[in-house]
Amino acid sequence: MTTVLEWPGKAAAFALGRRLIAEAETGPYTGEGERGPEPHLGRGVPDREGRLGGGLPHLRDGEGAAHVPDPHENLLIVGDNLPALTALLATHRGLVKVVYIDPPYNTGNAHTYKDHGHDHASWLSFMTPRLLLARELMREGGVLFLHLDDKESAWAQLLGHEIFGEDNSLGTLIHQRAKGGGNARSFVRGHDYVHVWARDAGRVGPFLTEKKSPAKLEVIDGRRMLVETDVLRAGFGRYARGSERRLMYEDIVAVKGEKKLAEVDAKLASGEYILRPWGPEGKHAVVRVTPAEKASSKMYSIIKALGGQNDLEPLGLGGVFSYPKPVELVKALVASQTFFDPYAIVLDFFAGSGTTAQAVMAANERDEGSRSFVLVQTPEPLRSKNAKAVVTASGSSDAEFPTISELTAERIRRAADIHSPGLSFTQLEVIE
């Protein structure tokens, strides 16, 4: 039995999302009649959603000209994410492989998307049309990672089931973000949740990560390779200490037969296997070599990634933004579904300081890929309690970033200098 959420404003929230999707195909609503109130998250958000019906949202560049982005263009879109997602339907519908979002946690500290705390109905009405639009942008085999704490976790999970279908829920990952310490009344809360849904679960492959021990990394002919020296064994079961469990190439016929030798020879010819001198008898071990960027294993459901602030320090942005997500976490999530898809599109419409852009660059650095990012961030004032002045790219030593979106852009530029020199991105403004 599937539990369906009900809350005041649900019908209007779903109607808004479906209307925006329909209008992107057929043009804006022009009929007469009274509309019901359209949802937003709390009293702190202007009623922008209600003004979308007068014309389709679009994007413009810094000179004010309309801009139709290439689907694989790196983008930073400045503005409210609801019209931004609607505008992206024209160019990105059905193309996004990974959506990662870290939305407001409903704690009363969500900046522009301010909620005044624990109003589940407002949060659900706020998220519903955005998730509906995100689903439209996803590929059939696309996945969405929804990162949040336990205040809205249960509600978000049921909402996601309703939007994507419970059969398309792929489970929940745990992000371990802290360890030890703390003055919690009951216990130290050291983790968040990452709920995962697919557009179509039947089209989603395994979640992968880089393969590590017991294999070793070596540089062979200038290339990082994962080297496994015991892929061929003389038998199964326990081995006595000091005994050789590897089956040497010269002994294959005697132990495994001619057919096995032919299999090994084929893999030697293809380069998957190589022979390596082994032991005092002058024989050779059969060694499997795999390019490091292609060596994978299944992802574990608990991901330990501490301290997103540490990622800002090398960029000269330490302390500028409170609680950025760790690059290693978002990189692991992105790579898990793009391990063999180096041209994938990654979307984050609650971009914050720009962690996702840096994570995409880091994923490309691993395998020389060309994944692209689409970030959306409102130009809300940067009011981090840890904010401090930093040196900007232009050389000013006293300037603070007036808005979060300006910090996002600067972080992309600085991260590119480290991970992807020469990377370009287009900054656009969403027009409603």
Side-chain angles (χ1 to χ4, degrees):
M1 180 180 71
T2 300
T3 301
V4 177
L5 274 177
E6 294 293 343
W7 72 90
K10 175 181 177 179
F14 272 90
L16 171 60
R18 289 166 180 152
R19 173 169 65 82
L20 295 177
I21 291 167
E23 287 179 354
E25 293 180 332
T26 63
Y29 173 85
T30 57
E32 297 181 359
E34 184 177 351
R35 294 189 190 275
E38 294 176 324
H40 55 275
L41 185 60
R43 300 186 301 276
V45 186
D47 187 13
R48 289 166 289 201
E49 286 91 335
R51 295 189 276 110
L52 291 176
L56 294 178
H58 59 281
L59 305 173
R60 69 181 182 190
D61 60 25
E63 298 179 355
H67 183 91
V68 180
D70 181 274
H72 289 279
E73 187 176 358
N74 292 312
L75 298 175
L76 170 59
I77 301 173
V78 177
D80 184 271
N81 54 20
L82 192 64
L85 292 171
T86 306
L88 286 170
L89 287 175
T91 52
H92 289 69
R93 191 175 204 151
L95 297 179
V96 174
K97 174 59 179 175
V98 172
V99 180
Y100 169 81
I101 53 173
D102 174 33
Y105 278 12
N106 210 359
T107 62
N109 296 310
H111 301 303
T112 293
Y113 302 117
K114 200 169 182 62
D115 54 76
H116 305 283
H118 303 292
D119 180 356
H120 299 302
S122 291
W123 192 89
L124 290 166
S125 292
F126 169 77
M127 290 299 298
T128 294
R130 289 160 172 83
L131 290 177
L132 286 167
L133 288 164
R135 183 182 180 278
E136 287 297 309
L137 291 167
M138 291 163 60
R139 285 162 39 177
E140 289 297 317
V143 298
L144 180 140
F145 296 100
L146 175 57
H147 191 166
L148 73 177
D149 68 3
D150 56 5
K151 291 184 179 64
E152 294 297 337
S153 178
W155 302 87
Q157 196 165 29
L158 290 173
L159 177 63
H161 290 350
E162 190 160 351
I163 289 175
F164 290 92
E166 191 169 353
D167 290 343
N168 291 318
S169 171
L170 300 175
T172 299
L173 304 170
I174 301 298
H175 168 218
Q176 183 185 347
R177 55 176 171 76
K179 59 179 182 179
N183 297 312
R185 182 169 60 88
S186 52
F187 49 80
V188 177
R189 298 180 184 274
H191 70 276
D192 294 329
Y193 303 93
V194 182
H195 297 308
V196 190
W197 289 276
R199 175 80 186 258
D200 181 349
R203 295 174 179 259
V204 175
F207 289 71
L208 302 176
T209 187
E210 289 186 345
K211 189 172 184 178
K212 297 183 174 65
S213 60
K216 296 189 299 183
L217 282 171
E218 296 182 15
V219 177
I220 300 176
D221 296 330
R223 191 175 186 184
R224 291 173 67 245
M225 308 290 282
L226 197 75
V227 176
E228 300 169 88
T229 64
D230 63 346
V231 293
L232 202 60
R233 298 186 181 182
F236 295 99
R238 297 175 64 88
Y239 288 83
R241 183 180 295 274
S243 64
E244 179 56 73
R245 64 186 181 184
R246 298 170 181 82
L247 176 61
M248 298 299 137
Y249 178 79
E250 290 79 5
D251 300 327
I252 292 176
V253 173
V255 177
K256 301 282 188 179
E258 293 285 351
K259 183 178 179 181
K260 188 64 177 180
L261 177 64
E263 292 176 6
V264 172
D265 283 342
K267 291 184 178 182
L268 286 169
S270 71
E272 181 180 348
Y273 287 172
I274 62 173
L275 297 180
R276 180 168 288 183
W278 204 275
E281 300 178 8
K283 295 183 178 182
H284 295 79
V286 178
V287 177
R288 178 162 55 203
V289 290
T290 308
E293 69 274 9
K294 295 182 179 180
S296 65
S297 59
K298 294 281 184 66
M299 171 182 275
Y300 187 54
S301 62
I302 300 174
I303 305 173
K304 181 178 180 179
L306 310 178
Q309 286 286 354
N310 296 335
D311 299 318
L312 294 177
E313 293 289 347
L315 305 178
L317 298 172
V320 177
F321 191 81
S322 293
Y323 310 116
K325 289 298 178 285
V327 170
E328 193 59 34
L329 168 70
V330 183
K331 174 189 171 185
L333 298 177
V334 168
S336 71
Q337 277 296 299
T338 68
F339 205 90
F340 298 112
D341 188 359
Y343 301 100
I345 300 171
V346 179
L347 168 66
D348 180 353
F349 50 92
F350 291 101
S353 68
T355 296
T356 297
Q358 187 171 351
V360 169
M361 295 180 213
N364 285 335
E365 196 174 27
R366 179 187 67 83
D367 61 2
E368 299 182 351
S370 299
R371 298 166 187 81
S372 55
F373 57 82
V374 178
L375 270 56
V376 184
Q377 177 56 44
T378 60
E380 59 190 282
L382 179 58
R383 296 192 297 266
S384 168
K385 66 182 180 181
N386 296 322
K388 65 179 183 181
V390 297
V391 179
T392 65
S394 63
S396 172
S397 60
D398 296 320
E400 292 184 1
F401 299 102
T403 65
I404 293 179
S405 56
E406 289 175 276
L407 168 62
T408 312
E410 183 64 17
R411 180 177 187 174
I412 294 172
R413 286 187 282 266
R414 296 190 186 197
D417 289 341
I418 296 174
H419 298 285
S420 184
L423 176 139
S424 64
F425 72 97
T426 303
Q427 183 169 326
L428 301 173
E429 182 183 1
V430 61
I431 303 301
E432 305 173 36

